[in-house]
Amino acid sequence: MKKEEKKSEAFLKKLDPAYQVDKGQKMKLVVEVANPDAEVKWLKNGQELRVTGSRYIFESIGNKRILTINNCSLADDAAYTCVIGEEKSFTELFVREPPVQILRPLEDQVVMVGERVEFECEVSEDGAQVKWEKNGVELTREETFKYRFKKDGKKHFLIINETTLEDSGNYIVKTNGGESVAELLVQEKQLEILQGVADLTVKAKEQAVFKCEVSDETVTGIWVKNGKEVVPNERIKISHIGRVHKLTIDDVVPSDEGDYSFIPNGFAFNLSAKLHFMEVKIDFVPRQEPPKIKLDCASGNADTIIVVAGNKLRLDVPITGDPAPTVVWSKGDQVIQQAPVRTDPQPGVEVNDDVDIISETDGRVHVETHPDHCVFIIEGAEKSDEGAYTVLLKNPAGEDKATINVKVIEAPDPPQAPKILNIGEDFCTVQWQPPKYDGGMPITGYILERKKKKSYRWMRLNYDLVKELTYESKRMIEGVIYEMRIYAVNAIGMSLPSQPSQPFMPIAPTSEPTQLTVEDVSDTSITVKWRPPERIGAGGLDGYMVEYCKEGSSEWVPALQGLTERTSTLIRDLPTGERLTFRVKAINLAGPSEPCTMKEPVTIREIMQRPKIWLPRFLRQKLVKKVGETVNIVIPFQGKPRPVVTWLKDGQPIDPKQVGIRNSEADTILFIRSAERHHSGEYQVKIQIENCEDTAAILIQIVDKPSAPQKLKIVEIWGFNVALEWSPPQDDGNTEISGYTIQKADKKTMEWFTVYEHYRRLNCVVSDLIMGNEYFFRVFSENMCGLSEKPANSKDSAQIQKTGISYKPPNYKEHEFGEAPKFTHPLVNRSVVAGYNATLSCSLRGSPKPRITWYKNKMDLSGEARYRAFSKQGVLTLEVRKPSPFDGGVYMCKAVNEHGEAETECRLEVRGES
């Protein structure tokens, strides 16, 4: 019998052997005690726990004793014991630290030498430990304090105060649940000139504005005139707004003429331009002089005027003629309308009250007409302002005409989205096309930027302009998805950025496979195998390509259609006798790896090998299977060329409908889907190559449950004991009988109880039977498959007699149940309406059941179709179907049995329909 564990007297329910809880969670340890008043002690690693704040809470609720541990930490990972007197309940608590996830990754950064860098990431847990690395080397606090590490709750920072060129690289933050990589590019400080200073020609009392634009908003500088710094005053003003620096000179005087330069602080170059003062000379003009336009005075002998989009164009055109000519400006066929405005008189010059200032409707293009010159002005030039402008002078003495071509230049359009070619492990080639519009000036180069797919920060890749239409981007992280975009640059400035390229991932081909060897050779085929590459990388592995080359040739021929994912392959249909060299390449998205090539060529020729069967160890003994189980025997062998395999059963060929046989080049398989008894026997396998052969024998025994034992009989009964005897079963199930199971059943309940299990003998004594009860017996036979389906039952029962006492049952007078009929509820008089069914009811008792007869006016109603009689549980009912006045009268019910009779009557009145 199974030994019962000793029950605890103090504990009704002990602690489980172990508990597990996540760090920061609450844990409750609960026991149930037998005595509700019992006091318990809690121990941690053998030391008693005391109440300390809210960390440990001890509760006593009825029979339950509870220890609650709030906000579990790694220090709570320990062994705990609950003690009552001398008894203990022991458990272990394991505190699991959840992996720290990176919620916000690092961002790539580009800085100038000497600038401050701050990498920031956010993790999933406050106060988590992180590790910072640069190019795979862990960063620590150095004596120079180059790197500073900071924590703020879930945020972690790496700070580099003053960067150097050596700080460029990949920075990694690692937790126990992931990592994030970002790239830092440190560039030498360079300054780009987005717009240079232009030469100016200005008349007296007018305003001169020198303007330039550089790439860095933080750059400051000074203005110099003829080598001396310009000091601002009421007439001269210097301004710096964003990237634009301006020098403004009001009321220009002849002394303002000279060379002006802007020198940015910290950079060894300057931006220079000249200010020309145009002095208006008044010569004596003879009367009736034809008008004359002197363009060379204002335009520097140029027929085309170039203006930067957004800037102001002012062109002074000296004119002569007497009387003063009329000035008409036009663009193409469109004449600009005029509007007369009085001008301020100049000292010593006569002014005509009819001088015109003419302007376009939007007010950006206008002209001024003076006695000795006219002025052409474009405010905020746009692309639509380009074209040929004609000035026509007329007076009575004649006319003159001149054409001025205005060209507006601006920053170019953005290029189309670039294409990514030739992707490698940490580099790619970017290709793009020039923009559709170059802004009116030749493209001087391109600027490239890249960013990670999930980032918002673009990194500039070059400060020197790229002149070509391709660029190789380097120092990328394998397995990270990037995007690229392009800016076009001309002499005016940078375009808007192009659309980003399609996202791409830098990946590299794997390293070459290793250990390419020959496994088998025949007259037309070869089996080769190899090991995977040592380095696969983020691109994964799509498969392998196998090729061969004939000796003396340099042409490699694919050995397989497509790729194989396995590290071995059989190559068929090879030319017999040829010497071939084989090689294998690993393929992934980045392309093929370097090949792994065999050192020596292989001759395609069969190698003779004697046949040999390698019988598995478990088949050297008898193989025993149960009926219905699957038999699957694999027997490996060797031999070249491929041997011929033959199977026999007990010396006869195997029926293929009963047993399946499958053969390959290296083994043979015997397969029985559902084993039956007739599959038992000796199986012989023979392999043969020409005159050589090898054989092996296998014994298979299919076993089943046995039949029931035979001839079970009760041999003797004495006292409380019964002796049984039986014979072995007729069918042992093709295996040894391991024992018998004997059961008994009380005749009253016929519930079977086991007396003996695995009983080895053919007779037994059943003891401890109950006096006065009668028993039946049955026996099951048993083998390795289990008990027989049916038992052997005893034909007779065994009566356990009581000794010394004879029981005399008492005599009882039988009760008389007979009773004469008696109406418990008589009939009652009724009045009904003609045409509607009427019922008469009464109740009766009597035993045996009385015979009932209904009468109307003392006439028997039995057999009358218009009347139906019912009797249900002592209630008697007579139904009169649709009575008429004729059916009225005295009705009587009579009941008769062997003990007497009884009757009851009533009067029925049938009223006519109203």
Side-chain angles (χ1 to χ4, degrees):
M1 293 178 66
K2 184 178 179 181
K3 185 178 180 181
E4 293 186 0
E5 294 183 0
K6 184 179 178 181
K7 289 188 177 180
S8 169
E9 295 181 359
F11 291 96
L12 296 178
K13 182 179 178 182
K14 290 189 172 184
L15 297 169
D16 292 342
Y19 295 88
Q20 180 172 289
V21 65
D22 286 340
K23 180 182 175 184
Q25 299 297 313
K26 180 192 294 186
M27 186 65 206
K28 286 192 174 186
L29 303 179
V30 183
V31 297
E32 291 186 16
V33 298
N35 181 7
D37 299 325
E39 295 291 334
V40 302
K41 288 194 300 183
W42 291 93
L43 309 181
K44 174 183 175 183
N45 291 336
Q47 299 294 320
E48 185 175 354
L49 291 174
R50 304 289 184 185
V51 177
T52 52
S54 60
R55 180 158 181 75
Y56 299 109
I57 299 175
F58 304 92
E59 295 178 89
S60 176
I61 304 174
N63 288 70
K64 291 185 178 181
R65 301 294 183 269
I66 305 171
L67 168 63
T68 303
I69 307 173
N70 287 316
N71 193 18
C72 290
S73 65
L74 296 180
D76 295 314
D77 189 298
Y80 292 84
T81 309
C82 182
V83 182
I84 302 177
E86 298 297 324
E87 287 201 40
K88 298 179 180 179
S89 177
F90 175 83
T91 188
E92 288 189 85
L93 177 62
F94 297 96
V95 180
R96 181 176 59 190
E97 187 171 10
V100 178
Q101 303 295 329
I102 296 180
L103 303 180
R104 191 172 68 191
L106 302 176
E107 293 284 352
D108 294 340
Q109 298 197 43
V110 180
V111 297
M112 293 295 183
V113 172
E115 290 184 347
R116 182 178 184 271
V117 171
E118 183 176 287
F119 286 106
E120 176 187 349
C121 77
E122 185 176 345
V123 299
S124 59
E125 187 175 337
D126 283 342
Q129 296 296 320
V130 303
K131 182 169 74 172
W132 293 91
E133 294 182 357
K134 176 192 174 187
N135 297 332
V137 179
E138 184 175 0
L139 300 178
T140 58
R141 295 184 184 274
E142 302 175 347
E143 294 181 1
T144 57
F145 296 104
K146 181 175 182 60
Y147 302 108
R148 289 179 52 223
F149 307 96
K150 190 172 71 170
K151 291 182 185 179
D152 183 7
K154 296 181 180 180
K155 295 182 179 180
H156 292 257
F157 302 87
L158 168 65
I159 300 170
I160 307 173
N161 280 326
E162 293 187 7
T163 56
T164 62
L165 291 175
E166 291 74 22
D167 291 324
S168 295
N170 291 334
Y171 288 80
I172 308 173
V173 60
K174 291 184 176 180
T175 69
N176 60 357
E179 64 178 44
S180 175
V181 185
E183 183 180 5
L184 174 63
L185 288 179
V186 182
Q187 303 281 359
E188 291 186 8
K189 277 194 175 181
Q190 296 187 15
L191 194 65
E192 291 185 40
I193 309 305
L194 303 182
Q195 181 180 339
V197 184
D199 293 345
L200 297 176
T201 301
V202 185
K203 288 172 52 179
K205 298 295 182 179
E206 291 188 349
Q207 184 187 68
V209 179
F210 290 102
K211 183 177 75 171
C212 67
E213 185 177 358
V214 295
S215 59
D216 191 346
E217 297 181 359
T218 62
V219 169
T220 59
I222 61 172
W223 290 89
V224 296
K225 174 189 175 185
N226 298 329
K228 293 183 178 181
E229 183 175 352
V230 176
V231 179
N233 54 34
E234 293 181 357
R235 198 170 57 86
I236 301 174
K237 298 178 179 61
I238 297 175
S239 66
H240 171 202
I241 302 174
R243 297 184 297 186
V244 177
H245 297 260
K246 279 186 180 181
L247 171 64
T248 305
I249 304 174
D250 295 327
D251 299 329
V252 173
V253 296
S255 61
D256 291 327
E257 190 172 60
D259 292 327
Y260 289 82
S261 300
F262 175 72
I263 304 175
N265 294 330
F267 297 92
F269 67 89
N270 58 34
L271 306 174
S272 299
K274 288 186 177 181
L275 174 62
H276 297 283
F277 180 79
M278 186 179 72
E279 185 175 355
V280 180
K281 297 180 180 179
I282 302 174
D283 297 327
F284 173 74
V285 181
R287 297 294 180 186
Q288 296 293 323
E289 181 182 354
K292 182 67 176 177
I293 300 172
K294 300 180 180 180
L295 275 176
D296 56 339
C297 296
S299 60
N301 295 319
D303 293 328
T304 300
I305 305 297
I306 297 175
V307 61
V308 177
N311 286 3
K312 175 181 177 180
L313 170 65
R314 178 186 177 95
L315 179 63
D316 292 272
V317 181
I319 58 175
T320 59
D322 190 17
T326 302
V327 181
V328 178
W329 289 86
S330 62
K331 179 182 180 183
D333 297 333
Q334 182 181 3
V335 176
I336 302 175
Q337 299 298 318
Q338 302 182 7
V341 177
R342 179 179 176 84
T343 59
D344 295 332
Q346 294 185 8
V349 179
E350 286 189 7
V351 178
N352 188 347
D353 288 341
D354 296 329
V355 172
D356 295 329
I357 295 180
I358 47 185
S359 64
E360 289 188 346
T361 55
D362 63 357
R364 289 188 305 100
V365 179
H366 61 271
V367 297
E368 297 175 2
T369 303
H370 300 270
D372 58 348
H373 70 282
C374 60
V375 183
F376 175 67
I377 300 172
I378 300 178
E379 299 280 359
E382 295 180 357
K383 184 66 180 174
S384 60
D385 295 328
E386 275 192 350
Y389 290 83
T390 303
V391 57
L392 176 64
L393 304 184
K394 287 183 180 181
N395 71 0
E399 65 180 38
D400 195 6
K401 183 178 182 180
T403 300
I404 302 168
N405 291 313
V406 175
K407 183 178 181 181
V408 179
I409 59 176
E410 58 185 334
D413 287 347
Q416 296 293 321
K419 296 181 179 179
I420 308 300
L421 310 173
N422 189 28
I423 300 174
E425 179 180 7
D426 60 351
F427 66 89
C428 73
T429 300
V430 190
Q431 186 183 68
W432 62 93
Q433 296 298 323
K436 293 181 179 179
Y437 174 59
D438 62 3
M441 297 289 286
I443 299 294
T444 57
Y446 299 90
I447 292 172
L448 290 86
E449 290 183 338
R450 77 170 182 233
K451 76 174 183 68
K452 295 176 183 175
K453 172 70 175 173
K454 296 182 179 180
S455 175
Y456 61 87
R457 180 177 295 174
W458 288 91
M459 294 178 54
R460 185 164 177 173
L461 300 182
N462 63 301
Y463 278 86
D464 296 330
L465 296 180
V466 176
K467 307 295 184 183
E468 298 80 15
L469 296 175
T470 59
Y471 180 82
E472 186 172 297
S473 176
K474 299 180 179 179
R475 295 175 58 181
M476 290 188 287
I477 303 168
E478 185 177 12
V480 175
I481 300 178
Y482 288 92
E483 293 177 337
M484 306 284 288
R485 69 181 185 186
I486 313 292
Y487 295 84
V489 182
N490 64 7
I492 304 305
M494 291 171 53
S495 70
L496 294 173
S498 70
Q499 289 296 316
S501 67
Q502 289 295 324
F504 66 95
M505 178 190 298
I507 54 175
T510 70
S511 60
E512 69 275 5
T514 58
Q515 301 181 23
L516 177 61
T517 56
V518 176
E519 195 172 43
D520 193 15
V521 181
S522 72
D523 285 343
T524 59
S525 65
I526 185 172
T527 301
V528 294
K529 65 177 182 179
W530 59 91
R531 293 185 65 81
E534 294 181 357
R535 181 185 58 79
I536 292 179
L541 182 63
D542 293 340
Y544 299 95
M545 180 172 64
V546 184
E547 300 173 315
Y548 66 84
C549 177
K550 293 183 180 180
E551 189 175 35
S553 172
S554 59
E555 180 183 1
W556 290 93
V557 180
L560 303 171
Q561 292 292 331
L563 304 180
T564 177
E565 295 181 357
R566 303 177 60 184
T567 55
S568 65
T569 186
L570 171 64
I571 305 170
R572 304 177 185 272
D573 303 325
L574 297 174
T576 303
E578 284 283 359
R579 287 175 60 80
L580 304 177
T581 301
F582 292 85
R583 72 181 185 184
V584 61
K585 297 178 180 177
I587 309 294
N588 69 359
L589 287 172
S593 69
E594 292 295 321
C596 176
T597 309
M598 283 186 181
K599 296 181 180 178
E600 299 292 337
V602 181
T603 303
I604 308 303
R605 183 176 299 146
E606 186 70 65
I607 302 171
M608 179 63 182
Q609 186 179 29
R610 292 184 63 85
K612 174 67 176 177
I613 294 176
W614 299 100
L615 193 64
R617 186 179 299 276
F618 75 96
L619 293 177
R620 297 176 190 175
Q621 302 173 355
K622 184 185 293 185
L623 179 64
V624 180
K625 290 283 185 178
K626 296 179 182 179
V627 170
E629 288 186 341
T630 299
V631 179
N632 191 0
I633 298 173
V634 181
I635 300 178
F637 57 77
Q638 67 181 32
K640 292 183 181 179
R642 179 174 176 172
V644 177
V645 182
T646 306
W647 281 88
L648 300 174
K649 178 179 182 289
D650 298 327
Q652 300 298 320
I654 289 178
D655 183 1
K657 296 180 181 179
Q658 299 287 335
V659 179
I661 303 294
R662 285 180 287 185
N663 301 319
S664 70
E665 295 182 352
D667 56 35
T668 178
I669 300 174
L670 181 142
F671 184 80
I672 303 173
R673 189 173 301 278
S674 180
E676 301 292 341
R677 291 274 289 275
H678 62 79
H679 290 132
S680 301
E682 182 181 66
Y683 291 78
Q684 301 90 28
V685 59
K686 179 176 73 173
I687 63 172
Q688 185 173 1
I689 303 176
E690 297 179 357
N691 297 327
C692 301
E693 65 178 39
D694 192 14
T695 60
I698 303 163
L699 290 176
I700 298 179
Q701 181 179 353
I702 308 300
V703 300
D704 197 2
K705 292 180 178 180
S707 62
Q710 303 180 80
K711 303 175 182 177
L712 172 63
K713 58 184 179 180
I714 299 173
V715 179
E716 187 179 357
I717 302 173
W718 75 96
F720 306 108
N721 308 298
V722 175
L724 303 177
E725 190 177 88
W726 62 90
S727 300
Q730 188 174 0
D731 180 11
D732 61 2
N734 203 27
T735 186
E736 178 185 4
I737 296 295
S738 59
Y740 299 93
T741 296
I742 299 94
Q743 294 181 337
K744 67 179 180 181
D746 193 326
K747 186 179 180 180
K748 296 176 183 177
T749 62
M750 287 308 292
E751 293 184 11
W752 292 97
F753 296 91
T754 299
V755 180
Y756 297 106
E757 287 183 302
H758 315 304
Y759 192 77
R760 304 286 295 181
R761 290 181 288 177
L762 296 174
N763 53 72
C764 74
V765 175
V766 181
S767 303
D768 299 329
L769 300 176
I770 298 174
M771 183 183 298
N773 288 4
E774 187 176 355
Y775 292 91
F776 288 91
F777 300 92
R778 67 183 185 185
V779 179
F780 292 88
S781 52
E782 183 180 5
N783 65 7
M784 63 179 294
C785 295
L787 297 178
S788 58
E789 296 289 347
K790 296 181 180 180
N793 292 286
S794 60
K795 293 181 180 179
D796 304 323
S797 63
Q799 178 74 42
I800 308 302
Q801 298 291 338
K802 292 185 178 180
T803 57
I805 298 176
S806 59
Y807 174 72
K808 292 181 181 180
N811 294 324
Y812 296 100
K813 184 179 179 180
E814 292 187 5
H815 181 70
E816 180 61 49
F817 291 99
E819 182 182 1
K822 181 182 179 182
F823 284 97
T824 59
H825 193 285
L827 292 172
V828 235
N829 295 334
R830 290 202 63 191
S831 176
V832 299
V833 178
Y836 295 92
N837 289 355
T839 57
L840 303 175
S841 299
C842 60
S843 59
L844 171 75
R845 73 180 183 189
S847 181
K849 185 176 181 181
R851 182 167 57 86
I852 308 300
T853 308
W854 288 89
Y855 298 89
K856 175 193 173 188
N857 297 333
K858 297 186 179 181
M859 292 181 61
D860 191 352
L861 297 179
S862 301
E864 291 288 338
R866 297 183 65 249
Y867 300 95
R868 284 201 306 172
F870 302 97
S871 175
K872 185 175 182 181
Q873 295 184 356
V875 177
L876 308 179
T877 305
L878 176 68
E879 182 182 45
V880 185
R881 295 182 177 178
K882 296 183 179 179
S884 65
F886 172 76
D887 291 313
V890 177
Y891 287 81
M892 183 178 66
C893 179
K894 186 175 183 180
V896 179
N897 70 2
E898 61 186 24
H899 296 289
E901 62 181 37
E903 60 184 31
T904 181
E905 61 182 26
C906 71
R907 179 174 293 277
L908 176 65
E909 179 186 355
V910 180
R911 305 190 308 273
E913 296 184 15
S914 58

